[in-house]
Amino acid sequence: MAGREDGNRQQETPAGAGPAWAEELLEHLRPAGRDVRRVVAWLSGAVRGSVALQDAAGNLIAGNRLSLDEDLVTDIIAGRIASAAWESRERHLRLVRVEHPSHACVLAVSRETPFDRRASDVVTHTAQVIELLLTARESTAAGHRLRRATSDLRLAILQLLMVEDTVAARRVAAGLWPGLLDAETACVYVVESGPAVRDRIAEECLDSTGEEALVVRCPAMDGHVIVVSPRDATREALRSLVARYPDLFLGGSVRQSLARTATAYGQAVSALAVAHFRSDKTAVYAERTHPERLMDPMALRGWTSRVLRPLDTLPHHTRAELLATNRLGLEFTAVNAAKVLGVSRNTVRARMERVEGLLGTDFADLTVRAVVHLALNTQIGLPDAHLAGDTGNPGLRLSDLLSGPAVRTWAQDLLGRLDADARNPRRTLRTWIAAGGNAERAAQTLGVHAQTVREHVRSAEPVLERQLLAAGTDLYEVVLAHLAVGDLDLPAFHRHD
């Protein structure tokens, strides 16, 4: 039994005398060369032998497997001996214990010639280098696991906010970020970068906000970082971050209650589209006139109550789950809504189909989507007890809400912006909506190419100051405007309205 030894290889040339091999070995501690397998390979060449690095279970970590005495290996792993030497006519073997943060390993070196002083020193020092590399790798892995766990926790909090479970979100956040969600309201921001640099930008968002904001790597969009913060200082901190990089963009919501985080997120995404056309690359959602604000509040609540009444028979948690999922599913694609909620796309689709069945309608119709979206976003601001008992005027219908003079004036002014275009994009837009947003079907109706339809719809976006090609609030407002002026038929709900 002897003191520690170690072996690995690098090049075919044996390591030189004195400091030459030591210099080569130390090169493996440089950041670019920290690879245990390369060190083991270097040792093999340095001592002209075969080298194996294995763990306590006998798993080969690096090198080539050697036939070793299991009892001897067990004694070294257990720490009863630090190293061992064995020789026969055919080979000479050295085994050295290599410390590891979670478990010890054995470095075995076998060669045909006896180990001289230089070879023994090379093995011993290489074992020490491998210890350092294994420790560094374990620390790096532990740090990565901690960062990943923290990131997953932030995402879980965001998902709870998205489904309006603010109580659970606060409870989860309180353990690691006390006070983060104590406020009743917050703004949501979306920072857009290239997917390759998203992780670094997320870290800079954390630094910029002093960990006083919920920073989440968006599960749906690879280049997006979502920031939820109740603090006004967050906006300027993120603006400063965006100003330092040429390819960053920032969209922000207006202040919303925590229960309306999903609505605020939709606003931030909408503002992000505008930010691409701004010189400072930032935009905040414009608090423009929304059609529901032009309707009689009591009438709107009563109508909402009746539209969503088929859901009132469900258990409270089921009803809340369906409402939250459908609100996101109408705002975004089913795939992206699923990623944000942390469920499968089939789950999102199943929940939306269930609501379709309960309401007796079809979400493939854009007018239906717009009307249900209006009801869902009216419902979120109402206490459940108030909503369930608020029947309002039982004879009031959607047509009554949309026929009010304020709503009609708003709709005529909005769509009238398109009348100056000789290409008649207003007709194209109306036909495209009636075709469920399908350019090919709209093109067949109009007798034009599908690309022409897309170009007309796209050209209408800056005129109307709304995104149309992506489903969401902007598109649904334009659909409601068409319904208000009578350019589209009111959708059918088989059970009511």
Side-chain angles (χ1 to χ4, degrees):
M1 305 300 173
R4 342 181 28 118
E5 340 259 344
D6 229 65
N8 194 203
R9 89 107 210 207
Q10 179 213 342
Q11 302 141 331
E12 230 175 45
T13 358
W21 64 264
E23 291 176 5
E24 292 176 8
L25 179 57
L26 289 173
E27 284 294 316
H28 291 282
L29 290 175
R30 293 183 182 276
R34 294 175 183 171
D35 187 328
V36 170
R37 288 171 298 184
R38 288 177 60 187
V39 176
V40 169
W42 174 86
L43 177 57
S44 178
V47 299
R48 292 187 178 277
S50 296
V51 182
L53 178 65
Q54 68 178 54
D55 62 18
N59 300 312
L60 187 67
I61 298 173
N64 301 306
R65 186 164 297 280
L66 298 175
S67 177
L68 303 175
D69 182 281
E70 291 185 7
D71 292 337
L72 190 56
V73 170
T74 300
D75 286 342
I76 292 176
I77 291 288
R80 288 188 283 272
I81 55 176
S83 61
W86 180 91
E87 60 183 53
S88 68
R89 285 187 178 181
E90 293 79 20
R91 67 170 181 155
H92 298 261
L93 184 67
R94 292 292 176 95
L95 292 89
V96 182
R97 176 183 169 87
V98 175
E99 297 292 342
H100 186 275
S102 56
H103 56 270
C105 300
V106 171
L107 179 68
V109 183
S110 174
R111 66 184 212 156
E112 296 176 356
T113 57
F115 284 83
D116 55 17
R117 177 62 180 272
R118 184 193 67 81
S120 297
D121 286 347
V122 172
V123 172
T124 301
H125 286 86
T126 304
Q128 295 169 353
V129 168
I130 291 175
E131 282 184 4
L132 291 172
L133 293 180
L134 289 176
T135 300
R137 187 169 70 179
E138 184 75 9
S139 299
T140 301
H144 177 74
R145 288 194 297 271
L146 178 60
R147 287 191 296 273
R148 179 60 186 269
T150 306
S151 178
D152 289 346
L153 187 58
R154 290 192 182 99
L155 175 58
I157 295 169
L158 177 66
Q159 289 169 339
L160 289 169
L161 291 174
M162 287 289 193
V163 296
E164 306 162 33
D165 195 345
T166 56
V167 174
R170 285 186 172 117
R171 188 183 302 124
V172 174
L176 287 178
W177 303 284
L180 177 64
L181 299 179
D182 283 354
E184 293 299 321
T185 62
C187 291
V188 175
Y189 305 92
V190 177
V191 180
E192 181 182 291
S193 67
V197 299
R198 200 257 298 262
D199 286 349
R200 176 167 57 83
I201 297 303
E203 293 300 320
E204 294 213 31
C205 287
L206 284 168
D207 292 341
S208 298
T209 58
E211 300 248 5
E212 293 186 335
L214 181 65
V215 178
V216 180
R217 293 162 177 81
C218 179
M221 302 298 291
D222 290 341
H224 287 187
V225 177
I226 302 170
V227 181
V228 182
S229 176
R231 294 165 180 80
D232 293 333
T234 299
R235 179 172 299 175
E236 286 309 311
L238 294 177
R239 282 181 186 272
S240 299
L241 172 62
V242 169
R244 296 200 299 269
Y245 296 95
D247 298 324
L248 290 192
F249 299 90
L250 173 67
S253 75
V254 296
R255 188 168 285 276
Q256 299 279 5
S257 68
L258 287 180
R260 300 198 68 174
T261 298
T263 299
Y265 172 55
Q267 292 180 348
V269 172
S270 179
L272 185 62
V274 177
H276 281 264
F277 303 99
R278 296 279 181 86
S279 59
D280 63 354
K281 303 175 299 172
T282 68
V284 175
Y285 186 74
E287 268 292 38
R288 59 189 178 228
T289 302
H290 299 287
E292 62 270 24
R293 295 185 180 179
L294 303 174
M295 301 173 186
D296 178 87
M298 290 297 294
L300 180 59
R301 285 198 294 269
W303 170 83
T304 296
S305 175
R306 290 195 307 282
V307 169
L308 300 180
R309 182 165 296 133
L311 280 73
D312 293 344
T313 60
L314 301 173
H316 178 78
H317 72 279
T318 302
R319 178 177 178 273
E321 184 179 72
L322 289 179
L323 290 173
T325 301
N326 277 264
R327 193 173 294 114
L328 278 176
L330 291 174
E331 194 72 41
F332 308 103
T333 66
V335 173
N336 285 349
K339 290 178 180 178
V340 170
L341 290 172
V343 298
S344 73
R345 69 185 73 178
N346 290 335
T347 298
V348 171
R349 288 174 179 142
R351 291 174 183 173
M352 295 187 74
E353 287 171 3
R354 187 173 183 185
V355 170
E356 282 180 297
L358 288 168
L359 300 184
T361 193
D362 183 0
F363 285 163
D365 187 332
L366 276 180
T367 60
V368 169
R369 294 174 72 92
V371 170
V372 174
H373 182 268
L374 172 64
L376 291 175
N377 280 280
T378 301
Q379 177 272 339
I380 195 175
L382 302 174
D384 284 353
H386 183 197
L387 182 62
D390 187 4
T391 57
N393 181 350
L396 191 70
R397 306 176 71 84
L398 176 62
S399 56
D400 299 314
L401 292 175
L402 295 175
S403 62
V407 177
R408 286 186 60 82
T409 299
W410 164 82
Q412 289 166 351
D413 289 346
L414 178 65
L415 298 180
R417 301 178 193 176
L418 300 172
D419 292 340
D421 193 326
R423 298 174 302 167
N424 201 356
R426 181 168 175 173
R427 181 186 64 176
T428 304
L429 181 58
R430 177 176 66 248
T431 307
W432 176 76
I433 292 172
N438 186 292
E440 285 72 19
R441 290 206 303 269
Q444 290 176 356
T445 302
L446 294 169
V448 299
H449 195 279
Q451 186 58 32
T452 302
V453 173
R454 295 188 189 96
E455 289 173 358
H456 283 198
V457 174
R458 190 175 292 110
S459 68
E461 290 185 323
V463 178
L464 300 178
E465 297 178 329
R466 285 163 173 81
Q467 285 185 289
L468 302 175
L469 292 172
T473 300
D474 285 3
L475 173 60
Y476 299 143
E477 287 187 358
V478 174
V479 173
L480 290 177
H482 281 84
L483 295 175
V485 299
D487 283 357
L488 291 171
D489 294 332
L490 293 173
F493 286 76
H494 299 156
R495 301 190 180 186
H496 42 71
D497 195 24

